[in-house]
Amino acid sequence: MKLAELKGWELRELIKKGETGCKEAVASFLDEIKKKNKSLNSFLTLTEESALKSAEIVDKKVSQKQKLGALAGIPIAVKDNICLRGVKTTCGSHILDNFVPPYNATVVEKLKKEDAIIIGKTNLDEFAMGSSTENSYFGPSKNPHDLKKVPGGSSGGSAVAVASGLATMALGSDTGGSIRQPAALCGVVGLKPTYGTVSRYGLVAFASSLDQIGPLTKDVKDSALLFGVISGHDPNDSTSLKISSKDYLKTLDSYKTKFKVAVPKEAFGAGNEKDVEEAVKKAIKLMEKLNWSVSEVSLPYMEYAIATYYIIATAEASSNLARYDGVKYGYRSKDSSQLLELYQNTRGEGFGNEVKRRIMLGTYVLSAGYYEAYYGKGQKVRTFIKQDFDNVFKDFDIVIMPTSPTVAFGLGEKIEDPLTMYLSDIFTVSANLAGIPAISIPCGKSKAGLPIGLQILAKPLAEETIFKAAYMLEQNLKT
Amino acid sequence: MAITIQDVEHIAKLARLRLTEEEKLRFQKELGKIIEYFDQLKKLNTDGVPPTTHVVPLENVLREDAVKPCLSVEEALANAPDRKGNYFRVPKVVEKEG
């Protein structure tokens, strides 16, 4: 049995029973990373020393029969926009390529408390802005199913780590699909939780009303396990909901339920690749076979979701990224004789193309004369998009859509055409605008052998419904 | 809505971004295309519709004004590109009118 193929819950059992030493397991993961990372570019930084030290502590707990944490011994990769004390956190950007945070993100504290092994930081589109990881200052990650294809983004490095067995689980962040889309393109499970369920303290901000941290895993059980650990109220995040974390793994014991399924007609037809559409329709047939009631519905404002999303996300980004001024941390341009020049040079040299483009767009939609026409309008249409979902969830438990209209596309294929790249987020941005939870699970492969993702959305705080439905489909989609 | 080079320069100034001439030309073209795509929202009647600024019904989250541990001066300055003693050092702030 290969350790790299085990799910987190399986590996934890093995370590608990003493069938493998934790240090030995972690060392084998680190070896694999060193062998494969050159071609995959999944990791930006390895935390070898601290990982081995944490593994020794787990081994000691096992030998002394002490209580083990929920994630004991599981190698976890962390997206490089989540702060880890004393370890470089670059956000895939030149402007932060020497930044070492003096504190841990809340999610990192929670992982450590449950004896997880953090093995490294993963690649991403600069400041999580992108759908392919091609916007990383450190070069793109590669899709393990075909090295000439993108892994998706922005949490591409995390998806690649899990898909190729370099890490058992990973954390990503999802502002408009950045967990779900790479999960779909790499053939793993990715959850964007309800807004406010996972603390954003220590997550480098991109668009604060949309950002949410979530798990990338090999199966639904691991997703439930990891979400149970990282969720819960945090006084350090003022948008954190007053909820307590829960054992979602346990809720899967009674997963056999029937669901009322809504299938939005806007998510099918022109625009989807044929293989994607067929795989998702096959999954819907399976739901009918399971005696779930499936109905077609309409989300009439979905066609406006991309425009709304890119107005709101870029506006919030232009404001959040104002902090990178070359004064307190990060890159500073060398020859500036005055402060204004220092700001302009630092930002002009420090940010990459896509980040500049989004700062420009966001500044434009917030600027005098255009604020109402774009930003104000976008916020109002966001209300319509949210109401679309509110209406559907009055009568239905879950909504089913493809995660991405295409399978993994070629490296370099869309990078020169930003609008086309933005349109690839068509099925994922709505969940962020509405604040609802959504998961992507694998539902087959294209004729060329590339993974296809099925997306399940539910109403706010209905993660339990999502896990149960996803788990049942996962069991039945196995061939 | 067409974007001019002057628009690009104006936005770049507001955003404190130094752009090369090549970047200005590229952004003029790209931003124009994307903003034209945004313009489809103008078709929708949103009179009287409340804006959604945040999806979570939370307001005025306050914490107690209690003394808690915080970063030391050394930790806070550890990432500084330039420092002098316990301060961040920056170039001249006062500028000539121009």
Side-chain angles (χ1 to χ4, degrees), chain B residues 70-89:
Chain B
C70 64
L71 296 181
S72 67
V73 172
E74 273 314 310
E75 283 173 314
L77 282 164
N79 281 292
D82 194 7
R83 65 182 279 189
K84 189 177 182 184
N86 285 347
Y87 299 95
F88 296 103
R89 184 152 70 177

Side-chain angles (χ1 to χ4, degrees), chain A residues 174-187:
Chain A
D174 190 314
T175 305
S178 279
I179 289 174
R180 290 160 287 156
Q181 186 254 16
L185 270 45
C186 289

Side-chain angles (χ1 to χ4, degrees), chain A residues 91-93 124-137 154 206 309-310 313-314 317-318 321 347-348 350-362 414-425, chain B residues 17 19 23 26-27 30-31 34 38:
Chain A
C91 272
S93 181
L124 68 159
D125 286 294
E126 185 178 3
F127 284 100
M129 297 177 186
S131 314
S132 69
T133 73
E134 289 168 295
N135 295 326
S136 170
Y137 178 66
S154 65
F206 159 13
Y309 170 81
Y310 277 93
T314 58
S318 74
L321 271 60
R347 293 163 63 79
F351 291 132
N353 264 334
E354 181 61 23
V355 173
K356 283 185 202 169
R357 192 179 294 123
R358 293 201 195 189
I359 291 174
M360 293 286 288
L361 277 169
K414 297 186 180 180
I415 197 73
E416 291 304 324
D417 184 357
L419 189 56
T420 305
M421 187 75 95
Y422 295 175
L423 294 176
S424 66
D425 301 338
Chain B
L17 283 174
L19 299 180
E23 281 177 317
R26 181 152 43 83
F27 283 146
E30 289 172 354
L31 299 187
I34 295 165
F38 290 170

Side-chain angles (χ1 to χ4, degrees), chain B residues 53-64:
Chain B
T53 50
H54 235 262
V55 281
V56 171
L58 287 173
E59 267 176 50
N60 299 337
V61 180
L62 303 174
R63 61 168 172 79
E64 253 180 84

Side-chain angles (χ1 to χ4, degrees), chain A residues 144-390:
Chain A
H145 297 273
D146 179 347
L147 296 178
K148 291 196 179 71
K149 306 281 184 194
V150 303
S154 65
S155 311
S158 287
V160 172
V162 175
S164 57
L166 301 184
T168 307
M169 298 173 161
L171 288 183
S173 66
D174 190 314
T175 305
S178 279
I179 289 174
R180 290 160 287 156
Q181 186 254 16
L185 270 45
C186 289
V188 299
V189 174
L191 172 76
K192 198 283 296 180
T194 306
Y195 184 84
T197 53
V198 180
S199 169
R200 292 183 298 114
Y201 180 73
L203 168 70
V204 177
F206 159 13
S208 304
S209 81
L210 305 163
D211 297 341
Q212 193 62 186
I213 295 174
L216 289 115
T217 54
K218 289 182 180 165
D219 72 352
V220 175
K221 255 175 110 167
D222 268 1
S223 188
L225 172 63
L226 185 50
F227 177 67
V229 168
I230 61 174
S231 56
H233 180 250
D234 177 16
N236 282 338
D237 174 0
S238 62
T239 59
S240 168
L241 292 170
K242 290 254 160 59
I243 49 154
S244 40
S245 50
K246 191 165 152 182
D247 189 347
Y248 287 92
L249 207 49
K250 223 167 236 163
T251 66
L252 287 185
D253 291 344
S254 57
Y255 67 92
K256 282 188 184 161
T257 322
K258 282 179 189 155
F259 297 95
K260 281 193 218 156
V261 182
V263 179
K265 61 177 186 211
E266 290 81 3
F268 294 86
N272 292 341
E273 278 177 3
K274 203 168 143 253
D275 290 353
V276 171
E277 184 125 346
E278 274 172 15
V280 173
K281 281 190 173 157
K282 213 173 121 198
I284 292 169
K285 282 249 162 63
L286 172 70
M287 294 173 208
E288 285 167 339
K289 255 204 228 148
L290 292 168
N291 281 324
W292 299 3
S293 73
V294 178
S295 313
E296 190 179 85
V297 297
S298 175
L299 295 172
Y301 290 98
M302 199 165 103
E303 63 173 297
Y304 302 101
I306 292 279
T308 306
Y309 170 81
Y310 277 93
I311 289 171
I312 290 170
T314 58
E316 293 185 13
S318 74
S319 163
N320 271 327
L321 271 60
R323 75 191 65 179
Y324 303 102
D325 55 6
V327 173
K328 299 176 290 302
Y329 49 81
Y331 172 78
R332 176 188 286 195
S333 171
K334 296 280 169 291
D335 349 279
S336 312
S337 58
Q338 296 203 319
L339 194 60
L340 180 64
E341 220 176 274
L342 173 80
Y343 295 156
Q344 290 173 329
N345 292 344
T346 294
R347 293 163 63 79
E349 294 160 24
F351 291 132
N353 264 334
E354 181 61 23
V355 173
K356 283 185 202 169
R357 192 179 294 123
R358 293 201 195 189
I359 291 174
M360 293 286 288
L361 277 169
T363 306
Y364 181 83
V365 301
L366 289 173
S367 66
Y370 299 106
Y371 182 96
E372 264 316 308
Y374 293 104
Y375 186 63
K377 190 83 180 180
Q379 288 184 315
K380 288 177 178 176
V381 181
R382 186 176 186 180
T383 304
F384 286 150
I385 290 165
K386 191 170 176 294
Q387 283 169 351
D388 264 0
F389 283 105
D390 290 344

